Amino acid sequence: MTTAAAPSPASGPASGPGEPPTAFLDVRDLRIHFPTDDGLVKSVDGLSFQLEKGRTLGIVGESGSGKSVTSLGIMGLHTVGQYGRGKARISGEIWLDGKELMSADPDEVRRLRGREMAMIFQDPLSAMHPYFTIGHQIVEAYRVHHSDAGKKTARKRAVELLDRVGIPQPDRRVDDYPHQFSGGMRQRAMIAMALVNNPELLIADEPTTALDVTVQAQILDLIRDLQKEFGSAVIVITHDLGVVAELADDILVMYGGRCVERGPAEQLFSAPRHPYTWGLLGSMPRIDREQTERLIPVKGSPPSLINIPSGCAFNPRCPYADVPAGGITRTERPELRLVTGAAGGPGGGQHWSACHMAEEERTRIWTEEIAPKL
Amino acid sequence: MTIPGQQAPSDGPEALLTVDGLVKHFPITKGLLRRQVGAVQAVDGLTFDVRTGETLGVVGESGCGKSTMGRLITRLLEPTGGRVTFRGKDISHLGVAGMRPLRRDIQMIFQDPYSSLNPRHTVGTIVGAPFKLQGITPEGGVKKEVQRLLELVGLSPEHYNRYPHEFSGGQRQRIGIARALALKPKLVVADEPVSALDVSIQAQVVNLLDDLQDELGLTYVIIAHDLSVIRHVSDRIAVMYLGKLVELTDRTSLYAKPMHPYTKALLSAVPVPDPKRRTKRERILLKGDVPSPISPPSGCRFHTRCWKATDVCKAQEPPLLALEPGHQVACHHPENAPEAAAAGAAGG
């Protein structure tokens, strides 16, 4: 069975198309393809997940795995069209708080964007306008969605938020330009801008990648505190397993535009059930333990999204591709299946994994071969 | 007040490279006459040595001067003050011609595998360039040697005629490594060799550097901001803050009992890939950002962000002292220090 347009019941914990959503954010069979001169780039190819309010989902993957494209897709920031270069072809469903965004009117999505869902970008210097003051930009974000708010109210709100995200002397710094802020402060200001309308969904795309370790720790702490305070749903996108381990309740591992494993954070680190997740954990030098052994890297490089390997996208790099009999890894795409050996984590998080190997076999490989070497 | 003679820690194997009081200030000029109005004190008095066969890791946040240090010891920059001695020879102020024979022995691996390879040259030309520049004909000819090098770093000899754009980031980094190893150097300085690469590729390159060291007996100076990578690759580690060395010791004692508060804060700030430890961990959050190296704080440069700072820290710069054998720290109030040594350091 190759990939069908409609999601099969086995494609994960998704509800069927058109049915009402089961969670606050419900993404179903999301596909985002970009036509290019070299071929169709399948950045996201059948991704489904749910997220409840008050919880944090970490999306992990290497460059080109489709994690950023997914976040822009949820925000509705791709230029959509059937033809022409640079235009994305998107299909699937995105339910946010009971509303379907893909079929919604663009104006409706624009009203939600910034108010109900907001985004923190990786590079605060290029995400902010260099010509306007920090305060001006926050006020603008506020007044777009609060047309009745006066300038003074909006400015007060901006100062209040800058104070909340830990900018010293916010009433003075509100009139500074982005270049007058340091990297860490700019990231704080951007968080303030994202939070100005109390969004219910916050997407942070590599929020700390451009920052130094000590500043990164401050920002991670801030994001964690703010989530507790505002109770919003947060998606953190990163390549750094350390960052997700700090922030996320649930983790989704992406490879070649699809989800290969998904589950509660603790389980994903203590009992991962996908060879790619093993590879990521094995590739990572650890700071928290003495490590005399060599790292266990994944061989080869990530796939080209134009020519995603047939069958399981990971099969050319997978050391266990020959374990399931009959060359099935090269012909059939594995669907997400529930890891039965695992108990549901706190918050009802279930553990899903997409691999052709029998679960007992994977449990055995992890406990006997992989875990002792990490 | 650093007294250079006090801290020549030449125990163990001989030093391949010795750095003594190394200073680099970049002038800031203004106006038509280019009058100097200040200086970026990128590196301000470093003293350490690199021993034959070891890997010295240099770690610090952006702007701490670690890359400038790398460029100074490879003599891509000329120091403003201090001395760099390579195998007993003072190379601090050698000219281009004077350095040329030494370029064979000191090589560099760069951070960005995209900008460090000429896009208009084939891999063969790039990796073969060192032979041409040094006027050396290796045994069996340049082409054969280049193909051997490509195989050594895990590429295929058939890649000889390809161009850099045909390779992925990890493969390009391997090309840069092959070029650095062409002349069988003694010392390789790698400036953030893996930070531009994906996690799975990063591990491949780290393992490759490891294997090459065993095989060719190389000495590495690895500069990185990632404390996990540094822990994995280094024998000894130097921690830098605003142009100064704050701590220098072997890997085990640095991670087990860091003495400088900055090192301690740095280690505690690294996100640990283990969700179970998220709540249990004691974390030191430093206030604010790194001050500007144009006008660094007086006394101990870390005192503006340090939770242990007292008046003495503002007034007096702490010297880099060996508080324990092989463990040098520059702090008035060191952590984890033996009582007597701590008192000695505090007393000045």
Side-chain angles (χ1 to χ4, degrees), chain A residues 61-63 182 184-185 212-218 220-221 224 239-249 265-266 269-270 280 282-302 317, chain B residues 60-63 168 171 197-204 206-208 210-211 225-229 231-232 251-252 255 262 265-278 281 283-290 305:
Chain A
E62 296 183 273
S63 37
S182 69
M185 297 233 291
D212 274 319
V213 221
T214 54
V215 182
Q216 164 170 297
Q218 295 167 0
L220 292 182
D221 251 40
R224 210 176 6 234
H239 67 278
D240 187 335
L241 285 164
V243 170
V244 281
E246 292 276 334
L247 284 179
D249 302 309
E266 280 196 18
F269 278 93
S270 63
L280 283 181
S283 306
M284 202 178 33
R286 300 290 294 240
I287 193 161
D288 51 337
R289 53 184 82 143
E290 189 64 42
Q291 214 177 15
T292 41
E293 296 276 318
R294 288 160 59 82
L295 299 175
I296 321 157
V298 190
K299 60 178 183 186
S301 353
R317 303 177 75 193
Chain B
E61 292 181 279
S62 45
S168 68
Q171 288 176 315
L197 308 174
D198 266 322
V199 204
S200 66
I201 309 297
Q202 189 170 321
Q204 293 173 358
V206 165
N207 279 351
L208 173 67
D210 233 19
D211 294 342
H225 69 281
D226 186 328
L227 285 135
S228 319
V229 170
R231 174 172 194 163
H232 188 83
R251 166 175 63 181
T252 329
Y255 287 86
Y262 177 64
L266 206 56
L267 291 177
S268 82
V270 178
V272 174
D274 188 351
K276 280 183 197 144
R277 295 179 41 160
R278 164 156 64 181
R281 223 142 56 83
R283 185 155 41 192
I284 304 158
L285 272 189
L286 288 181
K287 308 165 274 192
D289 296 288
V290 184
R305 301 173 78 196

Side-chain angles (χ1 to χ4, degrees), chain A residues 1-325:
Chain A
M1 181 190 68
T2 48
T3 47
S8 62
S11 73
S15 352
E19 280 173 38
T22 50
F24 174 68
L25 174 70
D26 194 345
V27 175
R28 294 179 194 163
D29 198 39
L30 183 67
R31 282 163 207 267
I32 304 178
H33 297 174
F34 298 94
T36 67
D37 291 345
D38 296 327
L40 193 63
V41 175
K42 297 180 176 175
S43 289
V44 180
D45 202 24
L47 182 73
S48 305
F49 65 86
Q50 290 91 34
L51 179 63
E52 288 297 347
K53 270 172 112 175
R55 289 186 70 83
T56 304
L57 173 74
I59 301 185
V60 193
E62 296 183 273
S63 37
S65 60
K67 46 194 200 311
S68 289
V69 171
T70 304
S71 67
L72 294 174
I74 296 171
M75 292 288 289
L77 290 174
H78 288 297
T79 322
V80 188
Q82 270 309 309
Y83 306 99
R85 291 172 64 180
K87 285 191 175 167
R89 293 182 194 163
I90 308 185
S91 68
E93 287 173 39
I94 299 167
W95 292 85
L96 179 78
D97 204 10
K99 288 181 282 285
E100 212 285 303
L101 302 184
M102 299 283 282
S103 55
D105 182 40
D107 285 332
E108 171 68 17
V109 177
R110 189 176 303 128
R111 269 192 293 278
L112 292 175
R113 197 187 301 135
R115 189 181 184 117
E116 278 206 39
M117 49 185 183
M119 192 155 173
I120 303 170
F121 295 91
Q122 172 174 356
D123 179 6
L125 193 57
S126 57
M128 283 202 203
H129 201 299
Y131 194 79
F132 298 105
T133 62
I134 301 269
H136 179 101
Q137 297 182 53
I138 299 180
V139 164
E140 184 189 3
Y142 186 69
R143 293 189 71 199
V144 163
H145 296 286
H146 296 81
S147 42
D148 52 334
K151 273 191 184 153
K152 271 194 182 146
T153 338
R155 190 186 153 90
K156 222 181 108 212
R157 173 89 182 136
V159 173
E160 184 187 304
L161 268 156
L162 286 178
D163 189 39
R164 178 60 198 85
V165 297
I167 305 268
Q169 296 172 286
D171 45 341
R172 200 169 59 77
R173 298 308 296 262
V174 72
D175 294 322
D176 277 358
Y177 289 90
H179 75 268
Q180 291 168 295
F181 275 37
S182 69
M185 297 233 291
R186 274 197 289 265
Q187 196 60 280
R188 283 169 194 273
M190 198 152 70
I191 294 174
M193 200 190 299
L195 292 178
V196 75
N197 293 309
N198 285 332
E200 291 178 314
L201 172 68
L202 183 66
I203 302 177
D205 188 358
E206 303 268 10
T208 59
T209 308
L211 306 174
D212 274 319
V213 221
T214 54
V215 182
Q216 164 170 297
Q218 295 167 0
I219 298 291
L220 292 182
D221 251 40
L222 177 68
I223 295 178
R224 210 176 6 234
D225 286 354
L226 290 171
Q227 180 180 28
K228 262 187 217 141
E229 198 178 311
F230 290 81
S232 33
V234 177
I235 299 178
V236 181
I237 291 166
T238 177
H239 67 278
D240 187 335
L241 285 164
V243 170
V244 281
E246 292 276 334
L247 284 179
D249 302 309
D250 300 291
I251 294 175
L252 190 155
V253 183
M254 280 189 84
Y255 188 82
R258 306 194 107 206
C259 167
V260 295
E261 187 161 20
R262 198 182 114 192
E266 280 196 18
Q267 215 149 38
L268 222 90
F269 278 93
S270 63
R273 289 290 177 268
H274 195 281
Y276 178 61
T277 319
W278 300 341
L280 283 181
L281 289 169
S283 306
M284 202 178 33
R286 300 290 294 240
I287 193 161
D288 51 337
R289 53 184 82 143
E290 189 64 42
Q291 214 177 15
T292 41
E293 296 276 318
R294 288 160 59 82
L295 299 175
I296 321 157
V298 190
K299 60 178 183 186
S301 353
S304 147
L305 293 170
I306 294 176
N307 283 311
I308 297 179
S310 62
C312 173
F314 188 57
N315 86 66
R317 303 177 75 193
C318 182
Y320 307 100
D322 296 329
V323 173

Side-chain angles (χ1 to χ4, degrees), chain B residues 98-168:
Chain B
M99 270 310 287
R100 190 161 295 137
L102 287 164
R103 295 268 175 232
R104 235 176 266 188
D105 294 332
I106 309 176
Q107 284 289 331
M108 192 152 183
I109 298 168
F110 297 93
Q111 169 174 9
D112 183 359
Y114 292 85
S115 62
S116 60
L117 303 177
N118 189 333
R120 302 173 71 149
H121 285 178
T122 61
V123 170
T125 319
I126 291 169
V127 179
F131 298 113
K132 208 171 141 198
L133 290 170
Q134 291 281 342
I136 297 173
T137 317
E139 219 177 302
V142 173
K143 183 167 180 181
K144 206 172 154 213
E145 180 65 12
V146 169
Q147 290 180 330
R148 188 190 69 83
L149 284 162
L150 290 178
E151 252 185 315
L152 184 71
V153 297
L155 295 170
S156 150
E158 286 106 65
H159 291 152
Y160 186 84
N161 281 321
R162 300 245 190 113
Y163 286 89
H165 75 262
E166 296 173 61
F167 294 90
S168 68

Side-chain angles (χ1 to χ4, degrees), chain A residues 318-354:
Chain A
C318 182
Y320 307 100
D322 296 329
V323 173
I328 188 172
T329 54
R330 276 175 274 279
T331 51
E332 257 182 53
R333 268 225 178 142
E335 299 295 339
L336 276 174
R337 278 179 299 173
L338 195 61
V339 176
T340 47
Q350 292 170 315
H351 189 171
W352 299 79
S353 150

